[in-house]
Amino acid sequence: MPLRLPIIALATALTLSAGSGETMKPVKPLAYGALGANFNQNLDALDYRELRESGARWVRGFFPMPATDQGDPAAHFAIKTITEAAGRGHDTILSLKFPYDRASFPQPGSPEMAAELARLDRVLPAVLGKVDILTIGNEPFIESLPAERDTRLNVFYETVARHVIDVRRARCGGDCATTLYMGALNRLDLADRRTPAAERWMTFVRETPELAGVDIHPHVPEPENTQAFLDYILPRMRPDQTYLVTEFSLVWHWKKHLRDPIAPAFAQRYGFAAGTQVWQVIKAAIDAPFPQRQWNDFLTSSPWFMDQAGFLRDQMRLYRGTGRLAVATYAFKQDDLMTTDFGPAKDPWLLNSVYVPYTVRPRGNGLSAPSLWLKDFKALQKS
C-alpha cells in the first residue's frame, strides 16, 4: 500500500533554524496536492480573467523542441506566456516535448544528438529559475516510433535528462527554483504498456537524485483504471519523490459513446431528428456554437456523461489521498485541433475542457463559456 501522508502538513512550507541561529530559506513542500490549468500546445489561449474565475494558480503547457530552430525560444509564445504567467504570480509547469514519432532517436555522440543538446542549451536559459517545474519529456511512449520504445528510448531521454541536470546545476546551483520531473507515462492500466523500457524509466527516476519524480497522463476508459498508474509508479519511487498528473481525462470513455443516440427529449426540444447520434450533435455545435443552455442540456440529458459527472472530484480525491501528489493539471480550454474534421472516429478531447469556446457561444467581453466542469474545478482549488 502506498505511503499516505497528510496533505495539509506537506503543503506548508517549513522554516528551519541553522546551528548558527540563522533562518534558512523555506523548504519546498514534498506534495502540494494542487489542481491547475493545462493548456498543452495552446498557451497562447491563456486568459487571465478565466484563470481568476476558476481560481487556478498553476498553469501548465508544453514546448515542442523543434521550434527552437525557428528563432529565439524566449520569444516563442509557449515560453513567453509561461514565463509571463510566472512573473504575474502563477505557479508554472513547462514540459519539453521531443517529437520522434517520425524519425529515429539520435544516438549519444552523434551530430544529431549534439544538435538536440544544442537546442536545450538555447531553451534552458529562458526557463530555468523562472518556471517552477520543468518536465523532461511530454509523452515519450507515444512521441516515438513504435519499434523504438525500448532501450533506445531510455538512452535518449537519459542523455537529455543528464544534460538538463548539468545545465541546471551550472546556472542555478543547488537551490534552483526550478524542480525537475521526468514525463509522462501513458496507459499504465494496460499490461502491455508496463514494459522493460517503462521499468527502466522508473529506475532512472528513482536513482537520479536531482529528479523530484515522474509525470503520468491517466487518460482512461473508466475512472477505476487510474489506480493502476499509482500502483505502478509509487513503489518504484524514492520516499522523498512526488508525482505530477499534468493530463488526465475520460476521453476513451467519451469516445465509446459517440455513436449513441441522443435523448429523445433533447432531440425534440432542439429540433434534431430521432436517432441523431452524439457525435452529430457535437459536430453541429462546432459548426454553429450552441447557446450555453443548449450545450448544458445536451450533456445533462446524456447518461454516459452524467454517470461520470463526479470524475474530477473523485480523481483528485484519489491523487491527494496518496500524499504524494505534487500537482495535477486538467484540460482548461478547447482548441481548434479538437474540432478539426470532427466525426465518430475523432478522439473527443473537447468534452474534457473547463472552458468551451468552440462549442458554445462566447460570453460578453470576449470570455469563453464555461463547461459543467467549472464548478468542481473551482471547488477543488479550496480543498
Side-chain angles (χ1 to χ4, degrees):
M1 180 177 293
L3 178 66
R4 296 186 181 275
L5 302 172
I7 294 288
I8 294 175
L10 290 169
T12 303
L14 305 176
T15 301
L16 304 179
S17 296
S20 64
E22 296 179 359
T23 299
M24 298 173 64
K25 65 181 295 185
V27 176
K28 220 167 189 179
L30 176 65
Y32 305 92
L35 174 64
N38 176 38
F39 289 88
N40 278 346
Q41 74 275 11
N42 293 293
L43 279 163
D44 54 342
L46 185 151
D47 188 308
Y48 290 101
R49 297 170 299 173
E50 293 164 0
L51 289 178
R52 285 194 296 270
E53 180 180 42
S54 72
R57 280 192 56 84
W58 283 88
V59 174
R60 183 261 177 178
F62 65 66
F63 174 74
M65 291 300 294
T68 310
D69 301 336
Q70 300 168 10
D72 181 5
H76 186 277
F77 71 84
I79 292 178
K80 185 176 180 180
T81 302
I82 203 80
T83 54
E84 178 188 87
R88 295 178 64 153
H90 283 278
D91 301 315
T92 53
I93 304 172
L94 183 68
S95 299
L96 300 181
K97 178 186 176 82
F98 298 88
Y100 277 96
D101 52 333
R102 297 184 181 180
S104 292
F105 287 118
Q107 296 298 310
S110 68
E112 292 79 13
M113 181 63 84
E116 194 66 80
L117 299 183
R119 286 172 171 170
L120 282 170
D121 289 339
R122 297 186 65 201
V123 171
L124 293 174
V127 296
L128 286 175
K130 299 178 183 179
V131 301
D132 293 280
I133 293 174
L134 186 68
T135 303
I136 302 165
N138 179 53
E139 292 181 335
F141 287 87
I142 293 176
E143 295 158 357
S144 54
L145 296 172
E148 295 191 3
R149 294 168 189 169
D150 51 24
T151 56
R152 287 168 286 186
L153 181 150
N154 297 113
V155 168
F156 172 78
Y157 277 95
E158 290 168 17
T159 302
V160 166
R162 291 190 184 99
H163 190 80
V164 173
I165 289 167
D166 289 345
V167 174
R168 175 176 173 268
R169 183 185 300 114
R171 293 189 63 90
C172 290
D175 59 350
C176 185
T178 300
T179 304
L180 302 179
Y181 285 77
M182 293 292 287
L185 299 179
N186 297 79
R187 294 314 305 264
L188 292 174
D189 53 318
L190 300 176
D192 64 359
R193 305 298 177 90
R194 300 191 289 271
T195 63
E199 189 71 35
R200 176 167 166 172
W201 184 276
M202 292 304 306
T203 299
F204 179 75
V205 169
R206 181 177 65 252
E207 295 181 353
T208 306
E210 296 86 355
L211 296 174
V214 69
D215 188 8
I216 55 174
H217 286 180
H219 296 297
V220 292
E222 301 297 337
E224 55 268 26
N225 288 40
T226 299
Q227 186 64 50
F229 284 75
L230 304 179
D231 291 344
Y232 187 82
I233 65 167
L234 290 176
R236 290 169 170 81
M237 296 196 298
R238 301 189 309 266
D240 65 304
Q241 289 180 311
T242 57
Y243 66 95
L244 304 173
V245 189
T246 54
E247 296 182 27
F248 64 105
S249 78
L250 276 175
V251 65
W252 311 126
H253 177 81
W254 311 141
K255 190 171 184 178
K256 289 189 298 185
H257 294 278
L258 288 181
R259 294 183 185 273
D260 288 5
I262 61 174
F266 175 83
Q268 183 175 15
R269 179 172 185 175
Y270 290 104
F272 288 94
T276 296
Q277 296 179 359
V278 165
W279 74 268
Q280 293 173 308
V281 174
I282 296 173
K283 180 68 164 59
I286 293 168
D287 292 342
F290 290 175
Q292 179 85 67
R293 181 173 178 177
Q294 183 177 354
W295 181 251
N296 289 353
D297 285 349
F298 163 57
L299 295 176
T300 56
S301 68
S302 302
W304 53 267
F305 185 86
M306 294 307 296
D307 287 349
Q308 304 295 344
F311 174 75
L312 200 51
R313 297 191 305 273
D314 295 342
Q315 294 289 287
M316 288 303 298
R317 186 182 303 114
L318 176 64
Y319 300 144
R320 287 170 170 169
T322 65
R324 304 283 292 279
L325 173 67
V327 188
T329 58
Y330 187 69
F332 202 68
K333 202 166 182 177
Q334 292 173 340
D335 63 60
D336 57 349
L337 292 178
M338 298 176 183
T339 62
T340 303
D341 299 324
F342 196 89
K346 180 87 169 180
D347 298 339
W349 301 104
L350 55 77
L351 292 172
N352 300 325
S353 304
V354 175
Y355 287 88
V356 286
Y358 283 83
T359 54
V360 178
R361 297 171 189 170
R363 295 177 284 173
N365 300 320
L367 286 168
S368 301
S371 74
L372 294 174
W373 298 116
L374 178 61
K375 180 179 178 181
D376 283 349
F377 187 94
K378 290 177 67 173
L380 288 163
Q381 303 303 314
K382 304 173 184 177
S383 299

